[in-house]
């Protein structure tokens, strides 16, 4: 089953393969060591299972994720190749890879990034090119949806969004989008050029982008959300012991979702188990189905590092949660105190 992605003309499956988790270690937001052969196998397994789009970013693994995606799709005909979505705007220092990347959307920098991404991916045009974060000029300090400090040298949104529109007009990219931009910024961008797609975080834990999703729905803008399983927490496989055992180079080990918020988040997971059991599905599938049921959401990005992990979520789009299920989940969200944002659909 596919759905139309805003006005882009692309029809996409309701889940797409997210390649952040396969980016490897050695950079500030890595997930620990990964096996490249296994990562490529996971991507190809998702495609063989019907997924028709891959989401990546230049910064994931400092180019490594895009290179893996390029290898996974190499040799595929245009008819068989999945849509490729990537992002720009997080720039790293090659000599100091462990330091946090900076949020930079200066026109010359964006044009360098798009050429580098095209080369790593091995494609002639990028199907969806997205701005990863608003340009602040400062180092990224990951907080899910925080924007951080703004440098006096930051590029104004109107300037960098015009560059994105120019890339689309030149044929280097097919559609343009904004990730992690609030509704006020989306409105400013829309006055420059139509926002084809937004990519906010959204899950039963992080519901803070509800206003941006509502904005997109009102503007015929596609919405692909990331982290519908909240970086693995909503798979049902996490325990406090597993979190404690995460390697030191896994960014999740120090994140609030896995530290101060862990008890509430795991309580929510436990509340999802009986719903999953009733439907004969996994907790992960219930978590993704809840996201896909939210009005305005087109599709969700779901990651995997091994082919078997793909099998744990590949059928999530076929799960239709009943009103009683949605009410039970809303009550569980409120009772557990997990995350932020509305628990019920508007």
């Amino acid at each position: 089953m596919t759905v139309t992605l805003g006005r882009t003309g692309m029809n996409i499956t309701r889940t797409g393969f997210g390649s952040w988790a396969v980016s490897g270690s050695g950079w500030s937001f890595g997930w620990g060591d990964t096996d490249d052969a296994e990562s490529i196998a996971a991507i190809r397994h998702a495609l063989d299972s019907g997924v028709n789009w891959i989401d990546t970013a230049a910064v994931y693994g400092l180019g490594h994720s895009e290179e893996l995606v390029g290898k996974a799709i190499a040799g595929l005909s245009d008819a068989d190749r999945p849509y490729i979505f990537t992002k720009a705007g997080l720039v790293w220092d090659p000599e100091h890879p462990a330091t946090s990347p900076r949020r930079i959307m200066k026109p010359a920098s964006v044009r360098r990034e798009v050429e580098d991404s095209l080369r790593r991916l091995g494609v002639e045009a990028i199907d969806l090119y997205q701005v990863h974060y608003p340009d602040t000029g400062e180092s990224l300090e990951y907080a899910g949806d925080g924007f951080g400090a703004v440098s006096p040298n930051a590029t104004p949104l109107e300037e960098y969004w015009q560059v994105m529109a120019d890339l689309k007009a030149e044929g280097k990219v097919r559609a343009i989008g904004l990730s992690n931009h609030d509704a006020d910024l989306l409105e400013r961008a829309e006055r420059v050029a139509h926002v084809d797609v937004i990519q906010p975080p959204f899950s039963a834990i992080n519901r803070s982008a509800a206003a941006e999703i509502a904005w997109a729905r009102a503007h015929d803008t596609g919405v692909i959300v990331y982290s519908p399983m909240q970086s693995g927490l909503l798979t049902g496989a996490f325990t406090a012991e597993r979190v404690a055992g995460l390697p030191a180079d896994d960014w999740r080990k120090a994140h609030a979702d896995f530290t101060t918020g862990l008890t509430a988040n795991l309580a929510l997971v436990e509340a999802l188990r009986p719903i999953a059991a009733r439907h004969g599905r996994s907790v992960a599938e219930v978590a993704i189905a809840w996201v896909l049921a939210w009005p305005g959401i087109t599709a969700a990005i779901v990651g995997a590092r091994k082919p078997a992990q793909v099998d744990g979520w590949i059928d999530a789009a076929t799960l239709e949660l009943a009103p009683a299920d949605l009410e039970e989940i809303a009550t569980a969200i409120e009772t557990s105190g997990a995350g932020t944002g509305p628990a019920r659909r508007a």
Side-chain angles (χ1 to χ4, degrees), residues 244-259:
L246 287 172
D249 58 353
D250 189 320
W251 70 271
R252 296 174 293 180
K253 193 174 183 70
H255 192 274
D257 285 339
F258 292 81
T259 54

Side-chain angles (χ1 to χ4, degrees), residues 134 229 243 306:
M229 298 187 297
V243 171
K306 302 176 182 179

